Amino acid sequence: MRVAVLQFPGSNCDDDCMQAFGRVLGCEASLVWHGETSLPAGTDLVVLPGGFSYGDYLRCGAIAAHSPVMSATKRFAERGGTVFGICNGFQVLTEARLLPGALLRNAGLAFVCKDVALRVESQHSDLTARVAPGSQLVMPIAHMEGNYFADAATLDAMEARGQIVLRYVDRATGEPAQTANPNGACRNIAGVANERGNVIGMMPHPERAVEDVLGGTDGLALLAALVAQVSARAA
Amino acid sequence: MSTHSEITPEAIARHGLTKDEFAEIVRRLGREPNYVELGVFSVMWSEHCAYKSSRAHFHLFPTTGPTVILGPGENAGVVDIGKDKDGNTWGAAFKMESHNHPSFIEPYQGAATGVGGILRDVFTMGARTVACMDALRFGEATHPKTKSLVAGVVHGIGGYGNCMGVPTIGGNCGFDPCYNGNILVNAFALGIVRKDRIFKGTASGVGNPVLYVGSATGRDGIHGATMASAVFDDDSQAKRPTVQVGDPFTEKLLLEACLEIMTHDWLVGIQDMGAAGLTSSSFEMASRAGAGMDMDLDCVPQRATGMVPYEMLLSESQERMLMVAKKGHEDDVLAVCKKWGLEAAVIGKVTDSGRMRCSWQGHIVVDVPINAVVDDCPRYDRPRQEPADLDARRALDLDSIADQPLAADLVRLLGRPDIASKRWIWQQYDHTVRTSTQVLPGAADAAVLLVRENGARLAMSADCTERYGHADPWACGAHAVAEAVRNIACVGAEPLGLTDCLNFGNPEIPEVMWAIREAMRGLGDAAKALDCPVVSGNVSLYNTTGDQSILPTPMVAAVGRLPDGVEPVRMGFVEAGDAIYLLGRFRPSLGASRWLQEYLGHHQGRVSAVDLDAEKAVSSLVRLLIAQGVARSAHDLADGGLAVALAECAIQAQGGPRGVRCAMPSPQDSGTARHDERLFGETGASILVSVRSSQRSEIEALAADVGVPANYLGEVGDLNAAFEIGSLHAPTADLADAYHNGFERSVLGGAQ
């Protein structure tokens, strides 16, 4: 299982993703510089890590979407390869039009770093195909622009196709609630997939919840399910 | 402005130099300086760069010890954090620095560039920056400026640190009227470096190239160091242009480029261009090597057109480094910079002249002996005078105060922004990036960080109770160290070293200078007694607006290490039925306490006497109890005394707020019969722990072995059960509400 972790100059979760996919999950993980025009041969999974890609003084991910490595990533996705964006990686994927919608500034207008509870909404993605719908997972968020937006018609269509894969929920009730929505995202959306289910983006950081010493392993369960799904298809 | 601008008495005064200092410059040069050279002397002899009022007292600090790899004098200090499996020794490089004046004028950029500056100080050493903390002081919560200053500073710190990918894992935040016109922003950063790969700021090797790396130089921040060395007045807002503008993305590129360059054997030395920019970095690097330097200012990357030498040398544009490479490796360095998209240029070379010579457009514009500027800058043992009203400040007559502590008092204290949860602040900081934060902000007395390089676990805490400095600055300095050491002990860590940020008013006022020396003496005495050497630090004087000087604020950040295999504990209680013990020498005093300040509306009285032997003993005991797995939680007594500490343990209990049923410590065990003093009086050397009820005999035996009092107070109750200590009863939900929402309510005007 070969994982390519894209490295933009302002990526700052690249090393965390290398640790999670490499050290913890045992994948063959390598960093791929943003200036590369192709992905390493035999890449099974492309991961876009969190951070500030090119500083993000413009819209988050707007410049990264036009980087050489993203052209290669688009071709990879078109061929059915699995592409997974976390936080800034999610922002880059929406800017690159690999995922629908946009990530706006948080409703509270402030950066938010805290643990949130998520519910798996659909198995229509390589990330969630092997996770039971309704499963609740706890992991951190850390972002300023995580307020997912798409128009109602788009959201309805996405819901119908199962493209809404993760929602913020109340820990006690397990249901989406306004009070459990950390950033004002439409319909409490925390993660989405494309129609084909091979491109996935999520704002929370599963790579930060992969060891008990860090307070939980719910992120590991999610990433392990992703790796298992991609491996099975590669085999 | 050019090299030919006239040197008038007004120009000299505008540069913050005294007549005597100017005469000394003329004597050293054997001629009058030109205007550029005047600027150079001005910034290098500023209080901020030269420590001219404080240096005479640095000998009060212990700076050596078995844990010290590198003490004060470089960009950051380094302590030993143990070996990796291959036998390499690793170090933690850390320092704290103030950015007070810029943050008051322009809170977002001032605070952001404060973070940027301290991060550069640390990665200059070759260290990967892995943690930040921030100690903040603002004016009264009700002051019209406070809300926007808090919001701007917190936003700025987050904006910079979050982009850099360095978790901000701790700090503190206090409020006092003395900061109404002069807030404090003290930024701490820590990095990890292999001992044999520590880089220093030195410019040795005649003929070696001097390289400029990072952002191009603009006109921002000129004379920032001089501004930081002057008293604030009504025109301070006009100094906004001297505040630098931060670009964390460029700093991130600079960090990665520097660390990549440092994996090779290409550099002789490196230093960031911080306060006083190109001037301080070049002069200090040459000075450390006893060398000279020639620089061609035409080669300096410039952001604006038409810049003159004066501006280039004094600009404090951010995100810049000065490097001295080994001859022949300049192209290697430039290639890495190009990869990271950074500007870089060779701007000079090391010489053996002992002089700094700068040329510009074919002329020599600076030609001065380096030691005349750096090594022998003026130092003052300024006059000191004990305040005439010291006895009045220390006087305390409690007889006029009815001894009737109420639950409402506790609720009020817990809701004070100094004591209430700082969640609103730390939720705006990325504190989990790098996946190394084991103990999160607010959960324990200190943050705990995993070091992936060698498996070490580091604890860190920043502390200062400035209230204590009003009547007893020695105790204020000693308490700051003792509390920081106690805090890291409360997660199980042994101290390795500390850094300080000494914030005071105008040192030319003898009463202020007296307080500076007293606080430094207290800090040094405690650091010696508690085996926590000072490895780096910063002095910020002239924190004075009009005639209002701030309270002495000797901020201390201690760094410690957990022994291998020891798991940290948090402050929150764990399980109903667990036994609660008060460890240590409990001698609460209402003098200078938070409660008394609330009651009287001003500072009065003297803090409980510092007992450094008792501090050492209680810290050792709590570490032992944590190491042996006996203590399930630990929290020291600080602001608000026993009642507040106990409430915090209950509010932060695992699973949600729990009740407690505790007896009041007896008058004999407390040194006072007053109920309010036992509940809200403040004292050092006291820690609350909880243990399984089955382990009561164990904790009592372990405490008896080392002769530390262990006073059984009572037991942890059920979720949401009542909070009871002696005759003070309160619904836990009320306490939790005050604690969790007090900050937003009092500072931001409403729960959020």
Side-chain angles (χ1 to χ4, degrees):
Chain A
M1 172 83 183
R2 288 191 180 167
V3 181
V5 177
L6 305 191
Q7 190 181 31
F8 301 101
S11 296
N12 62 29
C13 304
D14 43 344
D15 190 47
D16 297 349
C17 286
M18 290 292 287
Q19 296 278 339
F21 285 98
R23 180 172 59 81
V24 181
L25 281 161
C27 299
E28 202 179 310
S30 59
L31 290 170
V32 180
W33 188 241
H34 63 109
E36 296 291 336
T37 51
S38 61
L39 297 168
T43 295
D44 298 303
L45 169 66
V46 175
V47 175
L48 285 76
F52 289 71
S53 54
Y54 289 85
D56 289 349
Y57 295 123
L58 191 60
R59 288 191 319 277
C60 300
I63 298 176
H66 299 285
S67 63
V69 79
M70 282 309 293
S71 300
T73 300
K74 280 182 185 172
R75 290 195 298 275
F76 178 78
E78 280 159 16
R79 290 197 305 270
T82 306
V83 177
F84 178 42
I86 303 167
C87 197
N88 188 227
F90 185 11
Q91 295 162 345
V92 174
L93 290 174
T94 59
E95 285 287 342
R97 294 277 160 252
L98 284 169
L99 287 173
L103 291 147
L104 310 181
R105 178 158 285 217
N106 295 346
L109 303 179
F111 192 96
V112 181
C113 179
K114 64 175 183 179
D115 276 349
V116 294
L118 305 172
R119 190 175 71 191
V120 176
E121 298 290 283
S122 145
Q123 289 185 299
H124 168 80
S125 81
D126 291 343
L127 180 68
T128 52
R130 290 167 181 251
V131 187
S135 303
Q136 199 184 108
L137 305 166
V138 175
M139 62 192 73
I141 54 166
H143 59 249
M144 178 79 100
E145 286 90 5
N147 178 353
Y148 186 78
F149 179 83
D151 61 57
T154 304
L155 291 172
D156 290 343
M158 289 171 72
E159 301 249 23
R161 287 190 288 259
Q163 286 175 253
I164 313 296
V165 296
L166 295 166
R167 272 201 171 86
Y168 303 108
V169 294
D170 183 273
R171 246 187 258 203
T173 65
E175 292 298 320
Q178 195 54 48
T179 49
N181 187 337
N183 50 32
C186 282
R187 305 186 189 181
N188 278 46
I189 291 170
V192 303
N194 63 350
E195 285 189 41
R196 197 168 166 180
N198 66 319
V199 179
I200 315 99
M202 63 186 287
M203 286 314 298
H205 286 277
E207 84 282 11
R208 297 189 189 182
V210 296
E211 292 174 280
D212 280 322
V213 70
L214 299 176
T217 55
D218 286 3
L220 182 64
L222 197 59
L223 298 182
L226 171 67
V227 167
Q229 177 69 6
V230 176
S231 301
R233 228 193 12 226
Chain B
M1 260 180 253
S2 75
T3 54
H4 306 299
S5 291
E6 215 180 329
I7 309 289
T8 60
E10 292 73 32
I12 294 163
R14 203 166 56 237
H15 281 79
L17 292 164
T18 65
K19 273 182 207 154
D20 289 347
E21 285 169 349
F22 183 75
E24 179 61 23
I25 292 168
V26 174
R27 193 189 66 75
R28 289 183 185 192
L29 295 182
R31 60 175 168 83
E32 280 210 350
N34 65 36
Y35 203 80
V36 181
E37 291 165 344
L38 182 71
V40 165
F41 275 100
S42 158
V43 293
M44 291 302 290
W45 287 11
S46 69
E47 189 68 51
H48 189 84
C49 290
Y51 301 114
K52 56 189 175 188
S53 302
S54 55
R55 196 179 284 268
H57 311 290
F58 283 173
H59 69 275
L60 296 166
F61 295 165
T63 56
T64 56
T67 58
V68 178
I69 291 176
L70 198 62
E74 283 289 338
N75 289 296
V78 186
V79 296
D80 189 329
I81 60 166
K83 293 185 189 305
D84 63 19
K85 59 182 182 344
D86 300 323
N88 300 304
T89 297
W90 289 81
F94 59 90
K95 189 182 181 185
M96 184 158 50
E97 207 162 70
S98 61
H99 229 214
N100 304 338
H101 288 178
S103 301
F104 184 73
I105 296 171
E106 168 50 49
Y108 183 95
Q109 294 297 347
T113 53
V115 174
I118 196 65
L119 286 168
R120 276 196 305 286
D121 274 338
V122 171
F123 71 74
T124 295
M125 309 291 298
R128 162 70 67 178
T129 42
V130 296
C132 287
M133 298 195 288
D134 295 282
L136 312 176
R137 291 291 180 275
F138 298 98
E140 290 165 288
T142 51
H143 189 274
K145 272 194 170 166
T146 297
K147 180 177 173 178
S148 64
L149 287 170
V150 170
V153 164
V154 170
H155 196 191
I157 290 169
Y160 211 101
N162 297 347
C163 182
M164 287 292 289
V166 179
T168 299
I169 61 174
N172 60 56
C173 179
F175 298 81
D176 190 279
C178 76
Y179 306 112
N180 279 349
N182 194 126
I183 64 171
L184 303 184
V185 174
N186 292 179
F188 165 98
L190 179 142
I192 303 299
V193 59
R194 223 173 81 176
K195 185 181 176 182
D196 58 349
R197 291 188 181 161
I198 294 171
F199 283 80
K200 296 184 184 177
T202 182
S204 58
V206 173
N208 278 335
V210 177
L211 289 98
Y212 173 114
V213 175
S215 293
T217 297
R219 291 195 171 95
D220 49 334
I222 291 173
H223 276 301
T226 315
M227 173 184 77
S229 310
V231 170
F232 260 16
D233 52 38
D234 292 340
D235 298 333
S236 295
Q237 286 299 331
K239 291 181 177 167
R240 192 181 292 261
T242 60
V243 178
Q244 311 85 339
V245 175
D247 175 1
F249 176 58
T250 297
E251 176 115 326
K252 169 74 171 155
L253 304 179
L254 192 60
L255 162 73
E256 299 299 343
C258 285
L259 293 183
E260 185 171 334
I261 288 164
M262 287 162 163
T263 60
H264 303 280
D265 190 23
W266 297 341
L267 293 187
V268 172
I270 174 170
Q271 180 157 336
D272 85 294
M273 295 189 222
L278 181 56
T279 295
S280 66
S281 52
S282 58
F283 275 86
E284 286 173 15
M285 286 181 80
S287 163
R288 288 197 191 100
M293 196 180 281
D294 286 354
M295 290 198 294
D296 180 355
L297 298 179
D298 295 309
C299 298
V300 171
Q302 291 158 48
R303 197 185 301 160
T305 54
M307 287 188 69
V308 295
Y310 184 92
E311 294 168 325
M312 281 185 250
L313 281 166
L314 301 190
S315 164
E316 292 189 5
S317 289
Q318 299 290 289
E319 294 93 24
R320 302 179 301 161
M321 286 282 184
L322 197 67
M323 300 179 182
V324 173
K326 291 181 179 166
K327 202 170 180 179
H329 286 295
E330 45 273 59
D331 289 340
D332 297 325
V333 172
L334 294 174
V336 172
C337 296
K338 189 173 178 201
K339 172 191 161 187
W340 287 97
L342 287 170
E343 294 223 42
V346 175
I347 63 165
K349 63 175 191 293
V350 177
T351 69
D352 58 2
S353 66
R355 301 179 76 84
M356 179 65 67
R357 278 192 302 245
C358 301
S359 62
W360 179 66
Q361 296 188 352
H363 305 284
I364 297 291
V365 292
V366 171
D367 185 357
V368 294
I370 282 164
N371 61 2
V373 178
V374 183
D375 307 344
D376 314 320
C377 62
R379 291 176 197 173
Y380 300 119
D381 190 357
R382 295 193 187 275
R384 301 188 294 275
Q385 169 83 50
E386 199 176 277
D389 65 345
L390 192 61
D391 288 341
R393 294 185 193 187
R394 289 178 173 178
L396 186 62
D397 174 16
L398 294 176
D399 295 343
S400 59
I401 300 174
D403 183 13
Q404 290 172 328
L406 301 171
D409 294 330
L410 179 56
V411 171
R412 187 166 157 196
L413 281 173
L414 286 167
R416 264 205 61 93
D418 318 78
I419 294 176
S421 166
K422 307 301 183 294
R423 184 188 55 198
W424 184 86
I425 296 179
W426 45 255
Q427 274 194 353
Q428 296 188 54
Y429 302 153
D430 192 339
H431 48 265
T432 50
V433 65
R434 296 196 57 78
T435 59
S436 300
T437 316
Q438 185 180 6
V439 175
L440 303 180
D445 284 13
V448 177
L449 188 80
L450 304 172
V451 178
R452 299 286 182 188
E453 284 80 355
N454 73 341
R457 272 176 297 181
L458 300 182
M460 56 202 81
S461 176
D463 298 281
C464 177
T465 309
E466 60 277 3
R467 264 180 290 117
Y468 301 164
H470 182 64
D472 193 346
W474 180 89
C476 183
H479 258 292
V481 175
E483 182 172 7
V485 169
R486 232 185 294 133
N487 280 337
I488 61 173
C490 282
V491 295
E494 302 264 2
L496 295 172
L498 67 82
T499 181
D500 59 60
C501 199
L502 305 171
N503 308 276
F504 296 93
N506 181 352
E508 295 162 43
I509 300 171
E511 287 81 2
V512 172
M513 195 61 230
W514 172 82
I516 294 172
R517 174 160 169 115
E518 283 300 288
M520 289 176 78
R521 200 168 60 79
L523 198 161
D525 288 350
K528 277 176 215 148
L530 301 174
D531 300 321
C532 193
V534 179
V535 299
S536 59
N538 164 248
V539 181
S540 171
L541 304 181
Y542 297 97
N543 289 290
T544 301
T545 301
D547 58 357
Q548 165 91 59
S549 278
I550 61 163
L551 285 167
T553 315
M555 192 62 67
V556 168
V559 174
R561 184 184 174 196
L562 278 78
D564 290 338
V566 170
E567 283 302 314
V569 300
R570 273 74 170 175
M571 75 167 79
F573 290 138
V574 178
E575 201 176 353
D578 282 356
I580 301 167
Y581 279 86
L582 176 59
L583 306 179
R585 183 182 171 280
F586 181 61
R587 284 293 175 275
S589 165
L590 286 178
S593 67
R594 175 65 69 195
W595 183 87
L596 193 70
Q597 189 194 355
E598 281 286 295
Y599 190 91
L600 296 176
H602 64 266
H603 301 289
Q604 190 61 50
R606 193 174 187 180
V607 64
S608 171
V610 177
D611 182 337
L612 294 170
D613 291 334
E615 291 286 358
K616 191 166 184 173
V618 77
S619 289
S620 301
L621 175 62
V622 79
R623 281 195 296 267
L624 178 73
L625 294 172
I626 294 168
Q628 301 217 344
V630 175
R632 304 185 87 186
S633 71
H635 183 31
D636 79 322
L637 270 53
D639 266 25
L642 173 63
V644 164
L646 190 64
E648 287 170 339
C649 298
I651 292 162
Q652 301 255 56
Q654 284 186 20
R658 288 183 177 277
V660 297
R661 286 179 301 276
C662 285
M664 187 84 115
S666 70
Q668 295 87 323
D669 288 337
S670 314
T672 174
R674 286 186 69 104
H675 291 85
D676 51 9
E677 196 152 49
R678 282 181 277 164
L679 284 170
F680 302 123
E682 295 174 18
T683 173
S686 296
I687 294 173
L688 280 171
V689 296
S690 66
V691 304
R692 286 185 177 81
S693 55
S694 60
Q695 289 188 303
R696 285 187 56 183
S697 53
E698 270 179 82
I699 185 174
E700 286 168 15
L702 286 166
D705 280 351
V706 292
V708 175
N711 190 349
Y712 173 75
L713 295 185
E715 62 176 30
V716 177
D718 291 327
L719 288 172
N720 297 313
F723 179 91
E724 302 176 10
I725 176 166
S727 59
L728 190 148
H729 294 200
T732 307
D734 291 359
L735 304 182
D737 174 66
Y739 181 75
H740 286 308
N741 300 312
F743 187 89
E744 285 96 321
R745 275 188 201 128
S746 51
V747 179
L748 305 160
Q752 301 204 340

